[in-house]
Amino acid sequence: MSKAEDGRLDAVQAALAAEHAAVYGYGVVGGRLGEERRTEARAAYDAHRARRDALARDVRDLGGEPVAAAAGYALPFSVPDSAAAVRLAAELEDRVAGVYSDLVRATEGDRRATAAGALREAAVRAARWRGGSVAFPGLAERAGTPTGQGPAPDASDTATGPAASSATASPTA
């Protein structure tokens, strides 16, 4: 496998790991969210599950073994109520957008178009949860790096870092 192919596989694996964390995180969101936004959480949960499944197929297509979901993920902050659940949902979407921005950069063709679509969807969901948008979705977390763009997180970064969030596998748990 060439270095470029390795880079594509790594970026797809990172996106898969982020989707595992998002699916898990939406379990916490759904469990703490008020009834008025539970349908929105369910739609996001379903969208992340579908992206996760598609990315697992992409990893196999690239000759890799899909990274497995972690048994649990560390929340970036306590989620005792509905307001915190909304903040967590926005954070999850921001983190997923960041990983998809890396995937856009690492791929081309149909895979790049799909990654750009996923980035756009995550940015829109984050804006809805937050009630506003950011200038460059997916790049905010890289602001602290010298070039403004950090490396794509590997599965262990996503599984244990703040991108990881949650307590259950279902948004209504």
Side-chain angles (χ1 to χ4, degrees):
M1 187 175 282
S2 74
K3 187 171 179 145
E5 290 170 327
D6 283 343
R8 281 191 291 275
L9 180 58
D10 290 346
V12 174
Q13 288 278 34
L16 175 58
E19 288 292 7
H20 283 312
V23 167
Y24 189 86
Y26 269 101
V28 170
V29 169
R32 303 286 193 280
L33 201 58
E35 192 64 39
E36 68 281 357
R37 294 194 80 182
R38 197 159 287 154
T39 300
E40 188 176 354
R42 171 57 88 177
Y45 174 77
D46 290 342
H48 286 292
R49 285 181 35 195
R51 291 269 183 212
R52 177 202 61 196
D53 295 347
L55 286 164
R57 286 188 298 273
D58 282 351
V59 168
R60 286 186 199 95
D61 290 346
L62 290 168
E65 180 64 31
V67 59
Y73 294 85
L75 295 171
F77 50 82
S78 177
V79 185
D81 56 24
S82 185
V86 168
R87 285 193 320 272
L88 177 59
E91 178 76 14
L92 291 169
E93 297 299 346
D94 285 342
R95 291 169 185 267
V96 167
V99 175
Y100 278 114
S101 70
D102 291 337
L103 188 56
V104 168
R105 186 176 61 229
T107 59
E108 52 194 32
D110 289 342
R111 194 167 279 126
R112 176 178 272 175
T114 300
L119 169 57
R120 181 186 65 248
E121 290 170 13
V124 168
R125 279 192 299 267
R128 285 184 181 146
W129 287 115
R130 185 180 299 103
S133 63
V134 296
F136 297 102
L139 297 179
E141 66 278 0
R142 287 157 178 73
T145 63
T147 64
Q149 296 179 343
D154 65 24
S156 63
D157 291 341
T158 304
T160 59
S165 319
S166 302
T168 64
S170 165
T172 57

